[in-house]
Amino acid sequence: MTAPNRNALWAGALVDELVAAGVDAVVVSPGSRSTPLTMAAADRDDLRVFSQLDERSAAYFALGRARRTGSVTPLICTSGTAAANYHPAVMEASQARVPLLALTADRPPELRDSGANQTADQEKLYGDAVRFYKDLPEPAPNDRALRSLRTTVGRAVATAEGADPGPVHLNVPFKKPLEPTRVPGDVPADLDPVSAAGRDGPYVDVTPGSPEPGDDELRALANELSVVDRGLIVAGPADPPGLDAESVTALSHATGFPVLADPLSNVRYGGHTRVAPVIGAYDAYLSASVAGDDAGGSDPATEWDDPEAVLRLGASPTSKNLREYLAGTGADQYQVDPAGRWREAEFAATDLVVAEPSRLCARLSRLAGGGGGDPDWRAQWEEADRVAREIHDRERAATGSEGGDALSADGDPAGFHEGDALRAVADALPDPATLFVSNSMPVRDLDRFVGPTTASVTALGNRGVSGIDGIVSSALGAGSATTDDLTLVVGDLALYHDANGLLALDRCDVDATVVLINNDGGGIFHALPIESFEPPFTESFKTPHGIEFEPMADLHGLAYARVDARPEAVGDPAETAAELVSACERARDADGSHLIEVRTDAESSHRTRERLAAAVEEAVHGAGSD
């Protein structure tokens, strides 16, 4: 059937190529200038259309979905400030290597720089944050223009999902009429069928690939690792679609290297942890002061050996303690990156290996065997993890009424803290589950307090530029791409910042359990020196707000529950943890979405983290540690 006008023809060809490239969903926001694109998407039965009112939330929703799947979910918006609202998510996608495709409708070129309504300079709007940009020509009903358009769309999707995945921007100008109204003579009847309707499949079929070492280089690397007695594999936050845990485990077995697995690496959780030395509590007992020959102090029983070599996979680890420890050891560090980019901000890495990390681990595992490493080396890390978990468990079991375990300076029990909330949420997760964690403290508490488990948990977070904006939308976008149970752990400021994102629960048919850690302000600032500066600290950093979140739950149709975990309300920390576990399990087993508010005290939680860190350091490294 002939398109009613050139805009409809153009938009139809563009959307056809998205689908041919494997796109199965788009996120649209209402607007007039984008009408041709929205109508073309809505006309496809094989394309799921998510409608989001807020462009910033829409962009993060698409980002979250792509983070879960590894495939792009394109965005469609109108001109003007709508496109600018994509920018935060574009920045996150760029740094976190998440495929994103922004299709921003625009006014025709002659209206730019004219003062015309809703017209802004959208050319290269996102600067160098995008992997590929093109200002498309105005719709032209001729064969060459259509072939060019189809080729550009194929290139855009392939670039977004390529070896260096990230955001791509196509700016799409349209003149009126924007609706699919018939314009006689606008579309010639003699267009080449291939140009007008495309090919059987993509117009340009892209075969993906990524760099990897040649056989000689691989053998050289394997030989270097084979002579190492004390080595580590450090798995940082994974680029979508994630690290292959089995490949990493295979290399660990071949070399004898323990795996220090970030919670966002896809390696800390899963059945492979039954047989692999996956270490998770390192943030509790590592620091820059631990590195070095004398870190173990005077007690031989607590001497601590540093690694000779470290193989680093994925992005920079969440744990600052781990990053600084590795830099202080002086070990050879092999940073593995499929795009050949630098992602090691301590600047202590000695080698950059350009390779896809999962495939590299699988290949190395077949060549690097024989040494097996030092058996005492693995035992050191497993014992340190055991000690840290034991202290965390003992603290959790302490009771306020009976004195509990004296971890604090005055002999009082540490009590329930925000790290316990993350542990309780993890305890209640079904198998399988998708867990999305917010910045700033939730992801850090997940890292330190929630250890490896055999459950199939996909843990996700926005650690590219680590903002608190768009967290709700990202989580719901991830939930839209899976049948797994979805749990979001979010702070009060992050939830307030992206409250519009909750509209996706109903509009995009996503169910979620939202666990809100409400400490009435910016809790992470208690960990910074600014804490001692009053009154600016409270007024300008912590910023208590006093918001009641139950009405927000009512507004968006979430069932609501509250667990009061503030020190004045907690008698027995174990009972508080059990209460939160029970609330999460009830939400998991019930229909619909739920908001579980956990009221905490930021300062008390941070003081508890400090006391626990001191107790773990004393137990692992001894009284002589620095």
Side-chain angles (χ1 to χ4, degrees), residues 100 146 216 219 266 292 302 312 332 424 436 454 473 609 613:
L100 195 73
L146 287 165
D216 291 344
R219 277 191 291 269
N266 282 5
T302 59
R312 297 186 58 164
D332 292 334
F436 206 102
T454 58
S473 298
R609 292 186 190 98

Side-chain angles (χ1 to χ4, degrees), residues 90-325:
V90 169
M91 294 170 65
E92 173 65 25
S94 179
Q95 294 296 107
R97 297 187 182 172
V98 179
L100 195 73
L101 172 55
L103 299 167
T104 59
D106 199 356
R107 298 288 176 117
E110 66 267 19
L111 291 182
R112 297 172 187 173
D113 195 29
S114 70
N117 183 51
Q118 202 174 322
T119 303
D121 183 1
Q122 296 178 198
E123 290 196 64
K124 298 186 178 180
L125 180 62
Y126 311 118
D128 61 3
V130 296
R131 305 290 190 265
F132 173 68
Y133 165 78
K134 190 165 185 179
D135 187 25
L136 293 180
E138 294 182 75
N142 67 69
D143 294 334
R144 185 176 183 181
L146 287 165
R147 292 197 302 267
S148 172
L149 172 66
R150 292 181 182 276
T151 300
T152 298
V153 174
R155 289 176 58 202
V157 174
T159 301
E161 298 177 352
D164 185 17
V168 168
H169 178 203
L170 298 181
N171 197 49
V172 195
F174 291 109
K175 291 180 179 178
K176 293 182 177 182
L178 302 171
E179 299 74 23
T181 54
R182 186 158 298 280
V183 178
D186 204 30
V187 178
D190 60 350
L191 284 173
D192 174 38
V194 174
S195 302
R199 294 178 171 136
D200 184 13
Y203 190 79
V204 176
D205 204 344
V206 178
T207 301
S210 59
E212 58 181 297
D215 291 342
D216 291 344
E217 290 81 6
L218 187 73
R219 277 191 291 269
L221 177 57
N223 290 336
E224 291 174 15
L225 297 178
S226 294
V227 298
V228 172
D229 287 329
R230 301 192 310 275
L232 291 174
I233 299 172
V234 174
D239 301 328
L243 291 168
D244 176 40
E246 299 302 325
S247 297
V248 177
T249 299
L251 182 58
S252 174
H253 282 308
T255 58
F257 295 179
V259 181
L260 275 57
D262 190 278
L264 307 182
S265 66
N266 282 5
V267 180
R268 187 179 288 195
Y269 314 115
H272 61 281
T273 60
R274 293 187 181 93
V275 295
V278 176
I279 306 301
Y282 48 79
D283 186 66
Y285 52 81
L286 293 181
S287 65
S289 65
V290 170
D293 294 338
D294 62 347
S298 58
D299 183 357
T302 59
E303 287 183 359
W304 184 263
D305 290 323
D306 291 331
E308 300 167 309
V310 181
L311 189 71
R312 297 186 58 164
L313 315 174
S316 182
T318 300
S319 170
K320 178 181 179 181
N321 286 344
L322 172 58
R323 299 193 304 267
E324 293 186 345
Y325 167 76

Side-chain angles (χ1 to χ4, degrees), residues 447-505:
D447 191 15
R448 177 173 292 193
F449 295 107
V450 180
T453 174
T454 58
S456 178
V457 176
T458 301
L460 304 171
N462 286 348
R463 294 298 293 170
V465 284
S466 301
I468 64 167
D469 48 345
I471 297 295
V472 174
S473 298
S474 297
L476 299 185
S480 75
T482 178
T483 58
D484 289 359
D485 181 274
L486 172 66
T487 297
L488 164 64
V489 181
V490 63
D492 48 305
L493 294 184
L495 178 58
Y496 178 73
H497 209 284
D498 193 26
N500 286 353
L502 292 172
L503 289 170
L505 291 167

Side-chain angles (χ1 to χ4, degrees), residues 306-469:
D306 291 331
E308 300 167 309
V310 181
L311 189 71
R312 297 186 58 164
L313 315 174
S316 182
T318 300
S319 170
K320 178 181 179 181
N321 286 344
L322 172 58
R323 299 193 304 267
E324 293 186 345
Y325 167 76
L326 293 176
T329 64
D332 292 334
Q333 292 192 50
Y334 300 85
Q335 181 194 358
V336 181
D337 191 84
R341 293 197 182 203
W342 193 263
R343 293 201 287 185
E344 199 279 290
E346 298 298 328
F347 305 104
T350 56
D351 295 77
L352 177 61
V353 182
V354 182
E356 196 285 317
S358 297
R359 188 158 54 248
L360 179 74
C361 287
R363 295 179 68 197
L364 281 174
S365 68
R366 295 189 288 269
L367 296 173
D374 180 352
D376 293 336
W377 173 245
R378 170 173 170 169
Q380 167 183 285
W381 290 93
E382 292 179 325
E383 176 63 11
D385 244 41
R386 185 196 65 76
V387 169
R389 299 295 173 214
E390 183 179 82
I391 289 174
H392 294 164
D393 288 342
R394 192 167 73 233
E395 170 272 332
R396 184 173 177 178
T399 62
S401 59
E402 298 177 4
D405 192 270
L407 293 177
S408 64
D410 56 7
D412 291 333
F416 189 91
H417 61 98
E418 290 168 359
D420 284 332
L422 269 294
R423 297 175 70 194
V425 170
D427 288 346
L429 291 175
D431 186 1
T434 293
L435 173 66
F436 206 102
V437 286
S438 178
N439 302 313
S440 296
M441 289 312 302
V443 68
R444 289 176 168 85
D445 284 335
L446 180 72
D447 191 15
R448 177 173 292 193
F449 295 107
V450 180
T453 174
T454 58
S456 178
V457 176
T458 301
L460 304 171
N462 286 348
R463 294 298 293 170
V465 284
S466 301
I468 64 167
D469 48 345

Side-chain angles (χ1 to χ4, degrees), residues 48-92:
R48 187 174 181 185
V49 178
F50 294 102
S51 175
Q52 287 273 46
L53 303 183
D54 179 341
E55 285 85 5
R56 187 179 70 173
S57 292
Y60 276 108
F61 184 93
L63 180 141
R65 186 176 172 88
R67 192 183 289 280
R68 185 66 176 82
T69 65
S71 301
V72 71
T73 299
L75 291 155
I76 296 173
C77 74
T78 191
S79 60
T81 59
N85 279 289
Y86 285 168
H87 206 156
V90 169
M91 294 170 65
E92 173 65 25

